[in-house]
Amino acid sequence: METVVSGIRSTGNLHLGNYFGAMKNFLRMQEENQCYFFIADYHSLTTHPKPQDLRQNVRQVLAEYLACGLDPEKCTLYVQSDVPEVAELYLLLNMHAYKGELERATTFKEKARKQPDNINAGLLTYPVLMAADILLHRASKVPVGKDQEQHLEMTRQFGNRFNRMYEVDYFPEPQAFNFGVQLVKVPGLDGSGKMGKSEGEGNAVFLFDTDEALKKKVMRAVSDAGPSEPNSQKPEAIQNLFTLMDLVSTKETLQFFDDAFNNCTIRYGDMKKQLAEDMIVFVSPIRSRITEILKDESLLTDVMKRGKEKAQASARKTVSEVREIMGIRY
Ligand code: TRP
């Protein structure tokens, strides 16, 4: 069985795009692999979150992933800082990570541009911490998106460098992992591209949005004046509405609006109203589960405790072997 590691940003509240994308992947992986999923709270410290916000975010994200079906019986679900062994591995790996290569990371350059007053060492060594997360469990698979591929490449680089330096074959080379199946690409509401948090307020529908917020976002989704010729090709923004409808509405509803489009009688106001209603029906049971889990202090505490224990067992083993290999044994 292969070992999978993935980090979840602690501000990464789930939207429908994640739900049909990464989440579906996670649910399959937990059935078939040895999975370590963790909330990357150490990573989030580069931007200095307020302590009370950090706590709130970690609990919220944990509740959301549980509500979607991540099962602590099937995977190891933990909070990164509950396993401080990762910090030791990070320190050790830092000795073999070079300033030049760290400065060349696209994410570093971008963040440095965005927050010129806070270019801290944690930001520069972010990829080393990420490598430590992965190497800590000697994972061979990492489910990440395109934006993280460079970090994964750096992880391979650090692992291989360690192996070469100490003449061992200790760390496997982790590969990006997406099941080879085409994930459903969920479009956003802004008329182009995929649903994402960074694409601007209003583009993504979050599982935890209130009915009102959700409805408002959908009603403001980009559309146009409607087709003037029967059976025309759908412009991107309109196709996006149909793609979203296909995910949450019944076949009949979808067919109804498709016919209306084809005979030029479609009213996008009505379509969006229907889409919003169906999205609410779709997300509200998940939202109720999130709320219930958030109220259940002892459930969250238990999940974190179990995750910590399981992750720590694997982490301690790796760190003690790494110490041994490096000669930290006096
Ligand atoms: N950097 C990842 C992101 O921004 C999160 C992350 C941290 C991660 N550590 C990881 C992902 C380890 C995969 C493996 O999304």
Side-chain angles (χ1 to χ4, degrees), residues 5-9 38 40 43 126 130 133-134 142 144 148 151:
V5 165
S6 194
I8 301 158
R9 293 178 212 186
F38 65 93
H43 278 106
Y126 183 110
M130 180 158 160
D133 293 326
I134 296 166
V142 184
V144 286
Q148 296 297 312
H151 287 159

Side-chain angles (χ1 to χ4, degrees), residues 245-279:
M245 190 166 241
D246 191 26
L247 292 171
V248 296
S249 305
T250 63
K251 292 233 172 334
E252 291 72 30
T253 304
L254 187 68
Q255 191 62 52
F256 173 85
F257 286 101
D258 202 47
D259 291 345
F261 177 86
N262 284 328
N263 62 33
C264 304
T265 57
I266 194 158
R267 291 163 46 159
Y268 291 126
D270 293 347
M271 181 180 182
K272 289 194 238 176
K273 211 166 140 210
Q274 183 70 47
L275 179 59
E277 263 172 43
D278 292 341
M279 271 188 186

Side-chain angles (χ1 to χ4, degrees), residues 13 55-64 66-67 208 287-300:
N13 303 67
R55 177 187 149 85
Q56 171 66 25
N57 288 341
V58 167
R59 298 176 82 84
Q60 174 77 27
V61 169
L62 184 61
E64 292 188 1
L66 288 168
F208 209 63
R287 201 169 51 202
S288 321
R289 274 204 303 281
I290 300 172
T291 314
E292 245 166 65
I293 294 170
L294 276 175
K295 275 195 290 207
D296 195 341
E297 288 278 333
S298 69
L299 172 79
L300 283 177

